[in-house]
Amino acid sequence: MAVSAKSSPLSELRIALPSLPLRLQEVGRFVAANDYDATTRSMRDLAAEAGADPAAFTRLAKAIGYSGWDELRAALTEARRPSQASPFSARAKGRRQGPNADVTLVTDKLEAEAAGLPRISAHAIADAARSLHDAQRIWIAGYRSCRSVAELLNYELRLFRPEQVQIVGGSGPDDLDLGAFRPGEAVIVIGFMPYTNASVRVAQAAYNAGATLVAVADSVTAPMAEGADHVLLFEAASSPGFFPSLTGALAIAQSLAAVTFSLGGAAARKRLQDTEARLAAAAAYVSEKG
């Protein structure tokens, strides 16, 4: 089924609901109420949360005219995609009315950020951290707003692995680093929609080099997550405001650093202590007054 750019799969789903068998209606309502999760989580995970058979999601998709769940999920993902020319302004809404409108916006945003954090997979982060621990070198790529997440992860990892961690393009043109990826190394690529071409190039170079690819992304369908060994998902679009949220990405970065350090044991602790001693000798921090 060819879905036009203006087609709304959620509208198609809601229109079809009354004519569906009762069990498919229940699954359909779950998808309609959780369309973000439907675009970012596996069919098995969705089925477990919905209390349904995974095959019910395939039957639902076919019942409303799609070839299967993958095509319906792709349509849901595309429907959430902002205009390429206005990825941020398209999210902006008019200023709310009322004496506490601004406070309400802040409250809504904080609640959305907090609600997204528990949906990050701790098991997936721990698995990825084990790959980072085993890696001979760790490369980190984040562009535009995601550069801040990459720099934070780079800083934390270099506190105890200073010779083995590097930001892609941190010391020269990106393409020189892309040619340096090797098997046994790990490449972390961070991004959310709209995805940068640079992040996709890094991911493809890592995959082609046989390095372990870790994608920190807002969707399993993100182009820089294709072929990844680990996909760590965070919610970017669910938070109100003109700009997507990086809170989940920051939480993932800090969790990766924490678990990688823990796996390093006594050796990582000794390297961290050496770094602290060097920083203290260089008077990097303001002295606390007694």
Side-chain angles (χ1 to χ4, degrees), residues 95-108:
R95 188 173 184 273
R96 303 183 188 191
Q97 302 301 312
N100 296 314
D102 298 336
V103 174
T104 300
L105 174 58
V106 174
T107 300
D108 290 348

Side-chain angles (χ1 to χ4, degrees), residues 38-222:
T39 65
T40 60
R41 300 176 64 183
S42 70
M43 185 166 63
R44 187 175 299 276
D45 285 348
L46 292 171
E49 185 167 332
D53 184 337
F57 287 81
T58 298
R59 292 197 298 272
L60 172 68
K62 290 183 176 180
I64 62 175
Y66 292 83
S67 63
W69 174 249
D70 286 343
E71 187 177 10
L72 174 54
R73 185 174 71 172
L76 290 168
T77 300
E78 186 62 29
R80 293 179 61 88
R81 191 184 302 276
S83 168
Q84 190 67 23
S86 56
F88 309 127
S89 62
R91 290 171 49 87
K93 295 177 173 60
R95 188 173 184 273
R96 303 183 188 191
Q97 302 301 312
N100 296 314
D102 298 336
V103 174
T104 300
L105 174 58
V106 174
T107 300
D108 290 348
K109 185 163 178 59
L110 292 176
E111 289 177 351
E113 307 281 0
L117 293 179
R119 290 194 278 267
I120 295 173
S121 172
H123 289 289
I125 294 174
D127 288 343
R130 284 189 279 272
S131 292
L132 299 186
H133 171 66
D134 294 337
Q136 299 166 9
R137 177 180 290 275
I138 300 171
W139 300 86
I140 308 170
Y143 295 92
R144 305 187 72 81
S145 60
C146 290
R147 179 77 175 193
S148 60
V149 183
E151 289 181 344
L152 173 64
L153 182 55
N154 176 67
Y155 177 78
E156 293 194 21
L157 291 175
R158 282 177 59 86
L159 288 172
F160 59 94
R161 290 185 64 171
E163 298 93 359
Q164 301 167 324
V165 181
Q166 183 173 334
I167 285 187
V168 174
S171 60
D174 287 13
D175 56 348
L176 295 180
D177 288 339
L178 303 192
F181 297 163
R182 296 290 182 270
E185 299 179 345
V187 181
I188 305 167
V189 185
I190 305 160
F192 65 85
M193 187 169 63
Y195 309 103
T196 63
N197 291 320
S199 67
V200 178
R201 286 195 296 269
V202 172
Q204 291 173 342
Y207 179 83
N208 292 335
T212 297
L213 175 59
V214 179
V216 180
D218 62 337
S219 172
V220 292
T221 62

